[in-house]
Amino acid sequence: MLIIVKLKDIIVDPKREVDLTALPPDEAVSLIRKSYGFLAPAVRVEIQGDTALISFDDDKQRHLDEAGKLYNRGLKKAEGGEYENAAKLFERVLELVPDHKDARRNFAMAHLEMGNKEEAKNHLIESIRVDPSDVWAWVLLGNIYAKHEDDLQTGARFYQKAYEINPDDPYLLTNYAAVKLEMRKPEEARRLFERALEINRGYPNAFFGLAMLHHQEGRTEDAYRVLTELFTRPVSRDPRSGPVYDNARATYLRLNGEIAVRRQAEMQAFIGERRKRVGEETGFPIEVLEDNKLEGVYAVSQTAWKHGRDCTVIRYRQTAPGLMPHIIAHELEHVCLEFEARAKGRNRFFSTTGSTRKHAIESIADHVAKLQKLGFSEDAIQAVTLQMTAGLANQLFNCPLDMVIERRVFEKYEIIRPCQFVSLAATHAEYSQVLKNEEIRRLSPPRIFRANNAMNCAYALFIDSLYGSATGYADSYRATDFFAVGQQLFAAWQSIQEHFQPGDEYRLVDEFARILKLEKWFEWKPDDDTPLSAAATTDEKPEGTTNPELLKQKHPASVEYLLSALERYDKMPVEKVREIAFETALLGRSGLDYASSDKKYRLKSLPDEEFSGLQLMCLMYAGFKRVAPEHDLGLDLNDPFLTALSLFTEQKSK
């Protein structure tokens, strides 16, 4: 057998280049003979100019068939992840045919997969000695030194050899560029990354590498644009790309956060102008108020027409400053959505009543019995049951509407997209905790847990639909029992969104309720151009009021009671406020006499006091404003509450 190879391509020492042409011939021959000793016991070497002729005795011809069969079996074992068995087969091939370059390279790769770096390096070097034109052997050797041993100089030398053989391979170009970047040679790295993308515009590694280069240079906007393009392209099916996408997504989230902070003043100015325009369009100015007493939500909008006021109020809880433009934009779009439905005569209001709450509680009776057996107190069970059923009803209304709103925000508020991306990522992270928390699963009624996670899954699918491959939020739900239902919910949203008309959001809520079998957990109340709080009356108690005019006459007293409630709650942890509010709500199911000033009611949560019916109503109203502001109690107490809140705020500032 004869191997002909250029002296410059012979690897004598992988850690340093040895110029064989500069050595005495005898010394060069000795080094070459030693390097090729793996082929046969006796290797003959002859140097002719810049070329070495290496020969050895071999009878491989009669072993070719057997070696071919063993090699193919080895490939199948390697493809199936059986690297140890694959290595044994490749080793047998090399015993029969020592210069089988493909077997030697795959033998090296099997060792690398098993964590045997030294063995892998040795066999790759041998593969290159057999065939210096084997570009992949050069690349793999470069990977080991650069990525596994942090030897950038040696890795770069091997990448350069591969580059000289094939300068148009995107994988090689990207790996070589990454090493150049680490060696602080950004211009060389940029040229290699850009060349890789010229050859293959769908190669994710090159996009990510170029984005990291821009980011290191402080060009955040350029890095953002590069990754945005990556995520709009089809996802690579190469399983090796998985970690690249994971890192790119994490980087993209960080970039969006940085841009959101950097553009804060610009986004705030835009939101200010948008608030003014929405006020003009709806006919009511919009007031934005900080209210850090909000619990469970970042912000709520109270439309002027619903609450009988001369302005629409958006109340928000202070959170990360970078998220505020998106939070306010969301509420502004919520106001627009309701206004548009109202203009078409299709607006209505979501409401829970005594009857719907009773149905909800009865539907989880089995779980209540379970909590009783676990030794939980009746008070605790009542509070938790009300909290969970009310929470699911609110989610049933808000989830589909939020999907409609966020799509509108995405399309209409391009300037705040980085802020929106970060905000939705935070929402997903919060939802993921519900899925992962075993204690929540154990203590939650299965029906509520399933419905909650199904809606969270639908929301994850929705976010993924907005951002292409920039998010993979639905992945965490794919192996769960909730995924199929989440897909149904998302499909319902897609179907209605395709030909969306004002008011269709309420059809979407109905469709969600149908799929989740929650139709009896809420009621719709008509928007008849009067404030809901005054119009919402019912035969059931304490839903609404049986005599709204009487309650209106008692507004001066209500201000006093509400102010007292605010002062009381200000000194309490939120858990205690929730306990009082929910106990009052339970008591109110059988009716509260607010006509009488007699103190004839007691609460277990406040055992040393007695209350009148109006006092309890005010305690309940102020409590829910603190712990569940989105919950509509159907009580006309909003005006006295705002008066009391203003007095309370004034007192606190003194």
Side-chain angles (χ1 to χ4, degrees):
M1 291 300 301
L2 179 65
I3 296 174
I4 302 174
V5 59
K6 295 290 185 182
L7 293 176
K8 67 180 179 62
D9 291 332
I10 296 175
I11 300 177
V12 174
D13 184 346
K15 298 288 288 183
R16 64 186 181 89
E17 287 195 83
V18 176
D19 184 0
L20 292 172
T21 62
L23 299 177
D26 289 347
E27 185 178 345
V29 167
S30 176
L31 287 173
I32 295 170
R33 186 180 293 118
K34 183 178 179 181
S35 297
Y36 283 82
F38 64 93
L39 291 172
V43 178
R44 296 177 291 278
V45 179
E46 180 183 349
I47 296 177
Q48 294 183 359
D50 63 351
T51 303
L53 283 65
I54 303 156
S55 60
F56 58 97
D57 295 330
D58 181 36
D59 59 351
K60 75 174 183 179
Q61 196 64 36
R62 64 191 181 90
H63 297 306
L64 285 178
D65 287 344
E66 183 184 356
K69 292 176 183 177
L70 290 169
Y71 176 70
N72 289 331
R73 286 173 56 194
L75 285 180
K76 289 181 180 179
K77 293 291 184 183
E79 289 169 359
E82 299 180 47
Y83 300 113
E84 189 172 345
N85 290 331
K88 290 177 182 177
L89 289 166
F90 292 138
E91 186 175 25
R92 177 60 181 147
V93 172
L94 294 172
E95 289 172 359
L96 298 173
V97 184
D99 61 336
H100 196 306
K101 62 179 183 180
D102 292 330
R104 197 166 291 280
R105 186 189 339 101
N106 281 286
F107 189 31
M109 292 173 66
H111 276 292
L112 187 59
E113 292 291 348
M114 291 188 291
N116 303 327
K117 285 189 301 182
E118 289 304 316
E119 287 288 331
K121 284 193 299 184
N122 292 337
H123 291 299
L124 285 170
I125 290 169
E126 291 171 354
S127 181
I128 290 169
R129 285 169 176 163
V130 172
D131 180 12
S133 67
D134 187 348
V135 64
W136 282 106
W138 288 108
V139 171
L140 290 169
L141 202 52
N143 288 349
I144 291 175
Y145 279 99
K147 296 181 179 180
H148 296 277
E149 298 189 354
D150 201 26
D151 184 346
L152 301 180
Q153 292 292 342
T154 304
R157 183 158 61 90
F158 290 131
Y159 286 143
Q160 178 61 31
K161 286 285 188 180
Y163 179 75
E164 291 169 3
I165 300 167
N166 183 8
D168 293 329
D169 184 278
Y171 179 83
L172 161 63
L173 290 167
T174 302
N175 284 15
Y176 197 7
V179 168
K180 290 290 188 182
L181 186 57
E182 287 194 65
M183 295 173 72
R184 302 192 178 185
K185 297 180 179 179
E187 289 310 314
E188 292 182 42
R190 189 188 328 279
R191 177 176 56 81
L192 292 166
F193 281 133
E194 290 177 347
R195 177 58 182 155
L197 288 173
E198 285 176 13
I199 297 168
N200 183 356
R201 201 66 188 175
Y203 189 47
N205 303 52
F207 275 110
F208 179 58
L210 184 58
M212 292 304 294
L213 170 59
H214 288 321
H215 195 213
Q216 285 186 16
E217 293 178 329
R219 296 162 61 184
T220 305
E221 301 280 353
D222 288 337
Y224 172 78
R225 279 193 291 272
V226 168
L227 288 185
T228 298
E229 182 181 348
L230 165 63
F231 295 131
T232 59
R233 293 185 172 273
V235 177
S236 170
R237 295 187 178 184
D238 187 338
R240 294 172 298 180
S241 297
V244 177
Y245 279 105
D246 290 341
N247 289 328
R249 287 165 180 161
T251 302
Y252 194 58
L253 177 59
R254 187 164 64 251
L255 291 173
N256 275 277
E258 291 175 9
I259 293 171
V261 171
R262 182 178 301 175
R263 295 183 186 172
Q264 189 67 203
E266 184 182 359
M267 289 189 291
Q268 293 285 16
F270 174 82
I271 292 299
E273 286 299 314
R274 179 62 182 158
R275 182 182 77 173
K276 182 180 177 181
R277 286 199 302 273
V278 172
E280 292 170 351
E281 290 167 7
T282 61
F284 294 96
I286 296 175
E287 187 175 357
V288 178
L289 301 174
E290 182 175 339
D291 182 1
N292 292 318
K293 298 294 185 181
L294 289 176
E295 290 287 339
V297 293
Y298 288 123
V300 293
S301 53
Q302 299 168 331
T303 53
W305 52 86
K306 180 177 179 179
H307 294 273
R309 292 201 300 263
D310 57 3
C311 71
T312 290
V313 176
I314 293 176
R315 295 163 55 220
Y316 69 91
R317 173 164 54 96
Q318 189 61 257
T319 181
L323 303 185
M324 288 312 300
H326 169 250
I327 290 169
I328 302 303
H330 179 100
E331 295 305 319
L332 288 173
E333 211 55 35
H334 201 156
V335 171
C336 290
L337 197 67
E338 188 175 303
F339 176 77
E340 291 164 12
R342 197 166 191 256
K344 294 290 185 179
R346 300 185 67 198
N347 193 44
R348 45 186 174 156
F349 299 118
F350 184 92
S351 176
T352 56
T353 67
S355 176
T356 63
R357 286 192 289 270
K358 180 181 178 184
H359 174 82
I361 292 170
E362 288 175 348
S363 69
I364 59 170
D366 290 348
H367 188 73
V368 171
K370 175 185 173 182
L371 294 178
Q372 290 170 335
K373 288 180 181 178
L374 289 174
F376 288 91
S377 70
E378 288 298 322
D379 291 347
I381 292 173
Q382 283 184 351
V384 169
T385 300
L386 270 175
Q387 182 182 353
M388 288 191 294
T389 52
L392 185 63
N394 288 330
Q395 186 185 16
L396 176 62
F397 176 69
N398 286 307
C399 178
L401 262 69
D402 284 349
M403 291 162 69
V404 173
I405 290 168
E406 289 300 340
R407 174 66 176 270
R408 289 165 60 117
V409 169
F410 182 81
E411 293 175 345
K412 294 167 64 174
Y413 297 70
E414 184 175 356
I415 191 173
I416 70 163
R417 280 188 188 173
C419 178
Q420 181 184 23
F421 186 86
V422 176
S423 186
L424 292 179
T427 298
H428 167 70
E430 185 180 325
Y431 290 169
S432 294
Q433 291 305 310
V434 176
L435 181 65
K436 298 173 184 176
N437 192 309
E438 288 300 320
E439 189 68 5
I440 292 177
R441 179 189 289 267
R442 185 177 74 88
L443 295 178
S444 298
R447 183 172 189 181
I448 289 180
F449 189 76
R450 286 193 298 268
N452 174 258
N453 279 287
M455 284 189 276
N456 290 348
C457 174
Y459 203 67
L461 287 164
F462 160 72
I463 297 175
D464 290 348
S465 74
L466 281 184
Y467 295 108
S469 54
T471 59
Y473 294 158
D475 291 347
S476 55
Y477 294 91
R478 291 187 190 279
T480 69
D481 299 336
F482 325 118
F483 188 66
V485 182
Q487 284 182 306
Q488 281 184 272
L489 296 172
F490 178 59
W493 176 83
Q494 287 179 305
S495 177
I496 291 177
Q497 183 70 29
E498 189 174 353
H499 304 288
F500 188 85
Q501 296 295 320
D504 280 352
E505 61 269 29
Y506 307 130
R507 282 203 303 127
L508 187 54
V509 174
D510 285 334
E511 187 61 13
F512 270 44
R514 184 191 66 77
I515 293 170
L516 296 169
K517 296 180 172 55
L518 298 175
E519 298 99 318
K520 295 182 179 179
W521 282 52
F522 68 97
E523 291 180 359
W524 291 114
K525 294 190 179 297
D527 180 357
D528 56 2
D529 291 331
T530 62
L532 176 66
S533 54
T537 62
T538 178
D539 294 335
E540 298 184 68
K541 296 178 180 181
E543 187 62 32
T545 55
T546 56
N547 191 341
E549 287 303 319
L550 175 62
L551 184 59
K552 202 163 190 175
Q553 292 173 17
K554 290 183 173 287
H555 276 187
S558 299
V559 171
E560 181 182 342
Y561 289 141
L562 286 163
L563 177 59
S564 175
L566 289 170
E567 292 169 345
R568 180 194 296 268
Y569 290 149
D570 187 51
K571 302 170 185 176
M572 288 183 178
V574 68
E575 292 80 8
K576 184 65 175 177
V577 177
R578 184 178 289 111
E579 179 187 356
I580 295 170
F582 285 145
E583 184 185 353
T584 311
L586 279 173
L587 185 60
R589 288 175 57 195
S590 59
L592 292 172
D593 178 9
Y594 55 90
S596 171
S597 60
D598 293 344
K599 294 186 177 183
K600 53 186 178 182
Y601 297 101
R602 284 183 174 275
L603 296 174
K604 292 179 181 178
S605 51
L606 297 171
D608 298 329
E609 299 182 60
E610 293 182 339
F611 304 92
S612 69
L614 185 59
Q615 277 182 292
L616 280 188
M617 289 174 70
C618 292
L619 270 177
M620 178 172 62
Y621 194 89
F624 272 89
K625 285 293 184 184
R626 170 85 177 272
V627 301
E630 72 284 357
H631 191 71
D632 179 19
L633 296 174
L635 300 176
D636 183 15
L637 288 173
N638 192 66
D639 285 344
F641 176 77
L642 290 177
T643 302
L645 183 61
S646 175
L647 292 170
F648 175 73
T649 304
E650 186 179 341
Q651 289 177 6
K652 289 275 289 184
S653 64
K654 291 181 179 179

